[in-house]
Amino acid sequence: MSEILSRLAETLESRKHADPDSSYVAKLYAKGLDSILKKIGEEATETVIAAKGGDKSQVVYEMADLWFHSMVLLAQQGLHPDDVLAELARREGLSGLAEKAGRKDGA
């Protein structure tokens, strides 16, 4: 799985310098952070609606869109999927309650 994420991350990185008229991702980068965040919000909402609808194939489709746009955000922020995977690995085996209690903001 991480190979797919790494390949996608490389593609997203390369789109930072692409012509916005020739690349959807380059267009998102050109529009800036607020546009990327808005797209993530839209995709999260669509994922929730799909889950409520009970169609598993639609959930997968919408989740793929959500992950994709989240990866656009990571790249825009100078981060890589491996950063998120490392955080998940750090949390592995921790109680969710203990992990949450240990956060700086308590959220």
Side-chain angles (χ1 to χ4, degrees):
M1 175 175 66
S2 65
E3 290 177 22
I4 293 167
L5 297 178
S6 289
R7 285 195 308 269
L8 179 55
E10 288 174 20
T11 299
L12 295 175
E13 192 65 33
S14 73
R15 296 299 193 268
K16 285 183 177 180
H17 308 292
D19 178 3
D21 291 331
S22 68
S23 166
Y24 170 74
V25 172
K27 188 177 290 191
L28 278 177
Y29 289 141
K31 288 183 178 181
L33 179 61
D34 286 345
S35 288
I36 295 168
L37 296 174
K38 180 180 176 187
K39 197 64 186 162
I40 290 171
E42 290 171 6
E43 298 303 344
T45 300
E46 290 172 3
T47 301
V48 169
I49 291 167
K52 292 288 284 181
D55 182 343
K56 290 182 181 185
S57 65
Q58 194 62 30
V59 172
V60 169
Y61 181 89
E62 296 300 344
M63 187 64 71
D65 283 350
L66 179 57
W67 284 16
F68 176 85
H69 288 90
S70 295
M71 288 184 62
V72 171
L73 174 64
L74 286 175
Q76 191 269 345
Q77 296 286 303
L79 297 166
H80 190 274
D82 287 343
D83 298 314
V84 178
L85 294 173
E87 176 60 15
L88 290 171
R90 183 192 70 78
R91 295 180 188 186
E92 188 175 16
L94 286 177
S95 156
L97 295 175
E99 191 280 327
K100 186 173 181 177
R103 293 183 197 171
K104 292 176 188 162
D105 64 2

